[in-house]
Amino acid sequence: MVRFVGVQNTVRWIRSTGLETILGELSDYVADDYRRWESFDKSPRAASHSPIGVIELMPTSDGQLYSFKYVNGHPSNPAKGLQTVTAFGVLSDVDSGYPLLVAEMTLLTALRTAATSAMAAKYLAQPDSTTMAMIGAGTQAEFQAIAVREALGIRSLRVFDTDPAASAKLVRNLTPLGFDVYVAEDSADAASGADVITTCTADKANATVLTDDMVGPGVHVNAIGGDCPGKTELDAAILRRGDVFVEFPEQTRIEGEIQQVEADFPVTELWEVVSGKTVGRSSADQVTVFDSVGFAIEDFSVLRYLHDKTNHSAFSVDIDLVADPDDPKDLFGFAQGSDAPVPAL
Ligand code: NAD
């Protein structure tokens, strides 16, 4: 039988374990997989674009486990009462090819994106960072803020969203968790005095939510929302002034902020920093940019983590997904069924 962790069980698991604990442990899982980056199969995700959105498949394997995620990105969905990003995914055993786990991944995507941002901030931001700006207060925002607080201990959050209701929701959700939240008038106001700036907006456009003059010396930028061809958030001058860190260059050059610059624009792969092969931040004044698009290995990490934590628990259930005849060559006989009466449909 294949284990299944659906939406309600994911919610129960998060509530019983604690979001901070999950984000901290998941950051460690992502970092462990980044350290063995070279042992994974890697390819840019397969994207099917429409004028208003994208549907993507994201596969990878470390030779023992295989995973893929189905994910969409539709920035106009919230106006229809739907989410911008939803997802589900599978973790399989490479030796048999049999799936082990099927999981909802809308929540898991928010968790793994936040855990990866936190890992990037831990390696690239100034360790004494106290203030974070959050530009875009939608679905991902609270997860991003909590994960970066876990990694750096930031205390103040400055938020800006073009939708005041989204900022109000974030204040409502994060103030009880001890965040000191300031609602800014615009992006410049949010970025003012911030040590870490996270851009997490959704618009299928080459937007400029952050201009170069808003980014002070020493700032670390987590650029999350630019993740599709023709969908960016940063002024290209920020990329030229700072040092840019990416997941998988072959995918990021198509989808990330660096689609705005020349094809051989120099970048550093984040796994090289995490594994100690290269230096991340080298001076207090350096501007660092994590050009995040979301990579399959992060989905692999969160599925591996979820499987480890829920496989033998009540948070996952068996589902009847794989036909399993007693004689593996007699699928036909299996399809005839047993002698038990067939219920009327
Ligand atoms: P969402 O639609 O729930 O939230 C986006 C928010 O951005 C909305 O509240 C919207 O009002 C706001 N916004 C739009 N334009 C703005 C602007 N110019 N200035 C300020 N606010 C603005 O989307 P979400 O699920 O939170 O995702 C945010 C972005 O992150 C999306 O673009 C999504 O594709 C991307 N994403 C990236 C990753 C990754 O791994 N890098 C993972 C998940 C989502």
Side-chain angles (χ1 to χ4, degrees):
M1 282 287 183
V2 179
R3 302 296 279 174
F4 173 63
V5 183
V7 175
Q8 290 311 321
N9 270 336
T10 304
V11 169
R12 286 187 199 103
W13 169 66
I14 293 171
R15 286 177 63 112
S16 95
T17 310
L19 187 56
E20 284 89 350
T21 301
I22 287 178
L23 289 169
E25 291 180 354
L26 178 55
S27 268
D28 293 341
Y29 266 66
V30 175
D32 286 346
D33 289 337
Y34 263 61
R35 285 189 199 99
R36 56 194 190 99
W37 188 264
E38 288 163 299
S39 62
F40 282 89
D41 274 352
K42 294 175 284 296
S43 57
R45 57 188 158 198
S48 173
H49 294 278
S50 72
I52 59 166
V54 64
I55 295 175
E56 298 163 326
L57 291 177
M58 303 174 67
T60 190
S61 170
D62 68 352
Q64 293 186 310
L65 294 169
Y66 168 94
S67 72
F68 78 84
K69 179 170 82 173
Y70 167 106
V71 60
N72 77 296
H74 287 70
S76 56
N77 267 0
K80 303 175 208 159
L82 303 172
Q83 292 177 98
T84 297
V85 175
T86 66
F88 67 89
V90 172
L91 187 71
S92 296
D93 170 50
V94 167
D95 281 349
S96 64
Y98 273 36
L100 301 168
L101 169 69
V102 177
E104 87 75 42
M105 290 193 76
T106 305
L107 287 155
L108 296 188
T109 294
L111 296 176
R112 70 78 151 133
T113 305
T116 306
S117 295
M119 180 185 74
K122 189 171 131 195
Y123 282 94
L124 298 174
Q126 310 224 50
D128 58 353
S129 296
T130 60
T131 305
M132 173 174 172
M134 189 75 234
I135 301 174
T139 303
Q140 313 298 323
E142 291 91 343
F143 298 92
Q144 291 284 325
I146 293 168
V148 171
R149 180 171 74 170
E150 282 301 294
L152 293 180
I154 57 130
R155 292 186 288 279
S156 304
L157 190 61
R158 303 173 68 83
V159 60
F160 172 68
D161 193 298
T162 44
D163 174 10
S167 299
K169 173 226 52 170
L170 181 138
V171 171
R172 206 166 54 239
N173 285 337
L174 291 185
T175 306
L177 302 184
F179 278 88
D180 170 18
V181 189
Y182 166 75
V183 177
E185 286 174 9
D186 51 29
S187 293
D189 186 22
S192 173
D195 305 299
V196 176
I197 303 174
T198 299
T199 55
C200 196
T201 65
D203 192 0
K204 203 158 193 222
N206 289 118
T208 308
V209 303
L210 197 66
T211 53
D212 191 33
D213 55 305
M214 299 178 201
V215 181
V219 164
H220 172 67
V221 180
N222 275 333
I224 308 300
D227 59 357
C228 232
K231 179 166 174 274
T232 55
E233 297 180 303
L234 303 188
D235 178 353
I238 301 169
L239 307 175
R240 297 195 185 284
R241 182 157 65 101
D243 288 299
V244 178
F245 298 81
V246 303
E247 292 146 314
F248 184 56
E250 288 86 334
Q251 182 176 311
T252 312
R253 289 193 193 279
I254 299 167
E255 302 178 349
E257 296 300 328
I258 56 170
Q259 66 186 276
Q260 303 181 69
V261 293
E262 54 280 9
D264 59 352
F265 184 81
V267 295
T268 303
E269 295 185 42
L270 186 58
W271 74 268
E272 295 187 308
V273 178
V274 175
S275 63
K277 282 186 76 158
T278 190
V279 176
R281 172 169 293 277
S282 51
S283 77
D285 279 354
Q286 182 187 12
V287 169
T288 52
V289 178
F290 173 39
D291 183 1
S292 161
V293 292
F295 190 59
I297 291 175
E298 297 144 17
D299 300 315
F300 178 98
S301 303
V302 73
L303 286 169
R304 186 168 73 79
Y305 175 59
L306 182 77
H307 191 54
D308 285 354
K309 296 294 171 185
T310 65
N311 189 26
H312 300 294
S313 79
F315 298 118
S316 70
V317 295
D318 283 333
I319 52 168
D320 187 19
L321 188 71
V322 175
D324 195 17
D326 290 339
D327 175 354
K329 296 192 178 177
D330 193 12
L331 185 64
F332 181 84
F334 179 82
Q336 305 306 297
S338 67
D339 292 339
V342 179
L345 290 177

